[in-house]
Amino acid sequence: MAIRPELIEEMNLLSMFNLDSVQEGIKIHRNAGDEKVQAAARLFEKGITTQVDGGYLTNQGIEAAENAHALINLLKFVEGFLSASYAPKHVKQILLR
């Protein structure tokens, strides 16, 4: 299953939210680029954010952002593990299958 670029852009925006404070939102300005502006609008349409240009996370948005952060952190961990010289070759081969 391939991940569409639109979903990646949405995940990028979700990763910008500070999960330590639900009272901290984001604002996507019109000059941020069409991809970001459209991704912000899609997140609003999906009920994940409170404003078409970002705003705050809804309850569903908090859950989505937590999952996006978790996935990104997991992928960074595996990437770091695979690039480390201490990772056994057979483990690298298993993880890359």
Side-chain angles (χ1 to χ4, degrees):
M1 173 205 300
I3 300 174
R4 296 187 334 264
E6 294 85 5
L7 291 177
I8 292 172
E9 193 61 49
E10 290 172 20
M11 284 186 57
N12 282 332
L13 287 185
L14 287 172
S15 73
M16 295 172 64
F17 282 91
N18 179 2
L19 296 177
D20 294 329
S21 173
V22 293
Q23 299 192 6
E24 198 175 312
I26 64 170
K27 166 81 170 160
I28 305 300
H29 295 275
R30 290 279 170 212
N31 62 354
D34 288 342
E35 295 85 10
K36 283 185 178 49
V37 170
Q38 292 169 4
R42 286 191 303 273
L43 290 175
F44 174 71
E45 290 168 3
K46 293 175 181 180
I48 291 174
T49 59
T50 60
Q51 300 291 321
V52 71
D53 60 353
Y56 301 97
L57 292 168
T58 63
N59 288 339
Q60 180 182 353
I62 292 169
E63 186 176 341
E66 287 172 344
N67 286 317
H69 282 246
L71 176 60
I72 291 166
N73 288 334
L74 175 68
L75 293 174
K76 285 181 179 179
F77 172 79
V78 171
E79 178 183 55
F81 180 77
L82 291 176
S83 65
S85 59
Y86 61 82
K89 185 176 182 178
H90 70 279
V91 171
K92 289 181 184 180
Q93 290 172 347
I94 291 169
L95 291 173
L96 290 175
R97 285 186 193 170

